[in-house]
Amino acid sequence: MALTVMLTIGLALAAAEPTPPTPARETSVAAAMQVVRNYYAAVSRRDYRAAYALWHGTRSYARFRKGYAATRSAKVSFLEAATPEGGAGSIYLDLPVRVDAVLRSGAQQHFVGHYTLRRVNDVPGSTAAQRRWHIEGAHLKQVPAGR
């Protein structure tokens, strides 16, 4: 009984504490862009666990890793400025990108599209990890080298 009371009081106190504001440097468009840069840097150094950790989703790690098995390196460029949009306790950002990849065979691939990033607003109960940008989705299409 004493343990139940202590847990209940602890949970009530935790819920009553205000959520600290997320520093502006972590909520900026530049911070979101850095997440995508970090993603491709991790892929290029074959640190698939670090790259996978930047995603929010249900895709299995094994499937994720297999998708980059033939990739030697990849570089991302941002095509235009993006503006965050709010929605249901979260902020979303679509970042238009170009990705240039080199395969282990030496062949080159080029993609254009966008990454969707998301972060939870500074709402009560949200964690610091939830309030950081993470990749929600990628919509890329392979294009010829000159595009």
Side-chain angles (χ1 to χ4, degrees):
M1 166 118 162
L3 181 58
T4 303
V5 170
M6 287 174 49
L7 284 174
T8 303
I9 291 170
L11 290 173
L13 289 174
E17 292 180 24
T19 302
T22 304
R25 69 182 180 280
E26 294 178 19
T27 65
S28 67
V29 171
M33 293 168 73
Q34 191 60 48
V35 168
V36 178
R37 281 189 201 98
N38 291 347
Y39 174 71
Y40 281 107
V43 166
S44 292
R45 67 178 183 272
R46 302 182 62 140
D47 186 353
Y48 302 121
R49 289 252 180 237
Y52 183 76
L54 296 171
W55 276 85
H56 173 77
T58 58
R59 179 191 232 188
S60 77
Y61 173 72
R63 185 172 169 213
F64 174 85
R65 183 179 174 148
K66 185 177 179 182
Y68 285 105
T71 304
R72 179 185 301 156
S73 66
K75 181 182 175 192
V76 64
S77 304
F78 298 96
L79 301 178
E80 57 190 67
T83 304
E85 296 182 16
S90 294
I91 299 173
Y92 293 87
L93 179 65
D94 283 333
L95 290 173
V97 299
R98 176 184 172 91
V99 177
D100 298 300
V102 178
L103 303 180
R104 288 188 188 182
S105 66
Q108 295 185 9
Q109 292 182 328
H110 309 280
F111 302 88
V112 295
H114 71 271
Y115 273 85
T116 301
L117 285 89
R118 175 179 172 253
R119 63 174 292 278
V120 172
N121 288 323
D122 294 350
V123 295
S126 64
T127 66
Q130 291 170 326
R131 294 188 305 268
R132 285 192 290 272
W133 289 110
H134 59 271
I135 300 169
E136 186 81 10
H139 308 278
L140 303 174
K141 181 175 89 171
Q142 192 167 357
V143 296
R147 282 190 64 197

